[in-house]
Amino acid sequence: MIDLNGFLAIPFSYKGKCKIYPPTVRQTLSDEMFPQYRRLLTISQEELEDEFTRAAKGNLKETVPSVYDYLFINIKQDKRFAAVAKKAFEFFLHEEVNFLPEPKMVVIGSLEKEIKKAKSVEKLRLIKEDEFLEFQNAVRRSLGDKPLEPPNPNEHPRIKAMKAKARYRDYIKAKKGLGIDFGTLLASICCMNMGLNPLNIGEISYASVKVLVDTYQEKEKYETEVRYLQAGADPKKIKPKYWIRQLDN
């Protein structure tokens, strides 16, 4: 199902605490740090475990921290990381954020102003550990990505291993640059006769890019298969699916 806020770059409320702003193509390309912002705020627990495993060359002995703990461990230890993390939150929230290392909390808004207004820590606009996955899913929503469920602690080891192998294949594929790059997707959209070109494509939402490409491919596939049938192809082998449908299904 297409998220309309992400598709149209319309800000949406996060738990009444702030708004999350789906970025446009131009905004993501204008800030060279965007890939880091995205990774920092959308990395999953499984992906973090994969990184620790690769760093240990498969001989992982330490306990992998939660994504939220990992965020604050690095904020405490690395000033540059802390600065990037601050910009990452502000990129999507369009307002200042501050970090409270102890207790681990993200404060939305100017710390001084928020404390004066709230008069107590409990009434600050906060992102805490128990809701960080929900916040991550809101960011994913703004980018057109699917929300994630928390890891299943009772998942069968075999299934967990299979998922890890699939993620590793995706990691190798991305590292080798085997996928279609973002520029190619944008150029393709400009050739779809929908009024988009290099002068205005930067204004569409980042989340809409994949949706437009996938929908156009389905339309093209449907029309091609219909032409095959009109030319005498076997209807038992070719059964066109109408292209206007829920692609997730």
Side-chain angles (χ1 to χ4, degrees):
M1 183 174 180
I2 297 172
D3 183 275
L4 293 179
N5 289 83
F7 187 74
L8 299 175
I10 298 173
F12 57 91
S13 176
Y14 170 69
K15 301 185 75 170
K17 298 179 181 183
C18 61
K19 284 188 175 182
I20 293 181
Y21 291 76
T24 64
V25 168
R26 186 178 305 280
Q27 288 170 336
T28 63
L29 296 178
S30 297
D31 193 328
E32 62 182 11
M33 301 293 287
F34 170 71
Q36 293 186 51
Y37 301 160
R38 179 177 189 168
R39 178 190 173 280
L40 194 149
L41 294 184
T42 64
I43 187 171
S44 68
Q45 187 64 38
E46 291 87 351
E47 289 169 336
L48 187 61
E49 290 174 3
D50 291 344
E51 288 193 5
F52 271 69
T53 301
R54 286 194 294 270
K57 297 182 179 180
N59 189 29
L60 183 63
K61 296 180 180 180
E62 60 183 311
T63 301
V64 179
S66 70
V67 170
Y68 195 77
D69 281 340
Y70 182 73
L71 173 68
F72 273 90
I73 287 171
N74 283 281
I75 286 172
K76 290 178 186 177
Q77 296 178 350
D78 189 335
K79 289 184 178 179
R80 184 183 178 280
F81 181 95
V84 173
K86 180 178 173 66
K87 288 182 179 179
F89 279 93
E90 293 173 353
F91 180 85
F92 289 97
L93 272 56
H94 288 200
E95 61 177 314
E96 182 181 351
V97 301
N98 289 278
F99 303 119
L100 296 180
E102 294 296 340
K104 300 186 291 289
M105 293 179 183
V106 180
V107 182
I108 303 169
S110 165
L111 190 57
E112 183 178 351
K113 292 180 181 178
E114 290 295 316
I115 289 176
K116 285 182 179 179
K117 184 166 50 177
K119 297 183 179 180
S120 67
V121 174
E122 290 74 19
K123 293 187 177 181
L124 291 172
R125 291 186 294 153
L126 302 171
I127 300 173
K128 301 179 182 179
E129 182 169 14
D130 60 358
E131 60 187 29
F132 191 58
L133 177 60
E134 187 176 355
F135 176 78
Q136 285 188 302
N137 280 336
V139 173
R140 292 184 181 105
R141 173 186 170 189
S142 77
L143 295 170
D145 296 337
K146 292 182 179 180
L148 298 182
E149 295 292 332
N152 179 7
N154 300 316
E155 188 171 54
H156 194 283
R158 186 177 178 182
I159 296 176
K160 187 174 182 178
M162 289 173 61
K163 289 181 178 179
K165 286 182 179 179
R167 290 194 302 272
Y168 184 71
R169 286 195 296 269
D170 292 340
Y171 166 77
I172 294 298
K173 184 178 179 180
K175 194 172 182 180
K176 291 182 177 179
L178 298 178
I180 299 176
D181 65 85
F182 194 60
T184 299
L185 293 179
L186 295 181
S188 299
I189 292 174
C190 289
C191 298
M192 292 178 185
N193 297 319
M194 59 178 71
L196 292 172
N197 57 64
L199 298 177
N200 61 18
I201 196 169
E203 309 314 314
I204 69 173
S205 72
Y206 180 89
S208 71
V209 172
K210 187 176 185 301
V211 175
L212 292 174
V213 172
D214 288 349
T215 303
Y216 187 83
Q217 287 177 330
E218 286 297 317
K219 179 176 183 290
E220 195 173 47
K221 179 183 177 184
Y222 171 77
E223 292 174 344
T224 299
E225 291 182 342
V226 168
R227 286 195 294 270
Y228 284 159
L229 291 176
Q230 291 172 338
D234 188 349
K236 292 182 179 180
K237 295 181 179 179
I238 298 178
K239 298 180 180 180
K241 291 183 179 179
Y242 192 55
W243 62 278
I244 300 179
R245 68 180 194 276
Q246 299 285 358
L247 297 185
D248 289 344
N249 297 328

